[in-house]
Amino acid sequence: PFYIFDEVDAALDEVYRSNVAALIAAESKHSQIIVTTFRQELLSHADKLYRVTQRNRTSNIRSCTGQEALETLTASAAQGAAVPLEDGNPLAPPSRVPARVDTAVC
């Protein structure tokens, strides 16, 4: 099976986000799962992390480390979900960090 979850943890508190992260991690042993999130609980369970940004209505995807993903989420929360691009311009809509829990490339 293959699953895509778009901010599935957005409305959950920290305890439930951690539970969802553990459930997704367990399911990923026999499934391919892609999750977009603004929350850090899912990051620790991810096999691969990607940062998705948008510039001139074009999405850009690049691999990132766990530390980079965490910094992006922290900056996003501090700036009201607007994360600066490399040139300093804020994103609209905000950057997403998909937490991939499998090794397949999408």
Side-chain angles (χ1 to χ4, degrees):
F2 178 77
Y3 302 97
I4 299 176
F5 295 113
D6 185 17
E7 297 179 40
V8 69
D9 58 342
L12 304 177
D13 66 17
E14 186 176 338
V15 172
Y16 284 106
R17 285 192 304 265
S18 295
N19 290 341
V20 167
L23 179 66
I24 289 172
E27 185 66 25
S28 72
K29 292 179 182 9
H30 56 278
S31 303
Q32 293 178 345
I33 301 174
I34 296 175
V35 178
T36 62
T37 186
F38 288 105
R39 310 294 185 156
Q40 64 182 342
E41 288 80 9
L42 290 172
L43 297 181
S44 63
H45 293 283
D47 291 334
K48 301 282 183 182
L49 297 167
Y50 295 92
R51 180 171 185 214
V52 180
T53 58
Q54 186 180 48
R55 179 180 285 162
N56 298 327
R57 298 185 156 203
T58 302
S59 294
N60 299 293
I61 302 171
R62 74 171 179 83
S63 180
C64 65
T65 66
Q67 183 61 35
E68 289 172 320
L70 186 58
E71 289 171 3
T72 299
L73 294 181
T74 302
S76 176
Q79 297 177 10
V83 177
L85 289 172
E86 289 73 22
D87 65 4
N89 294 327
L91 293 178
S95 173
R96 296 180 184 210
V97 179
R100 292 205 48 259
V101 190
D102 198 280
T103 56
V105 176
C106 75

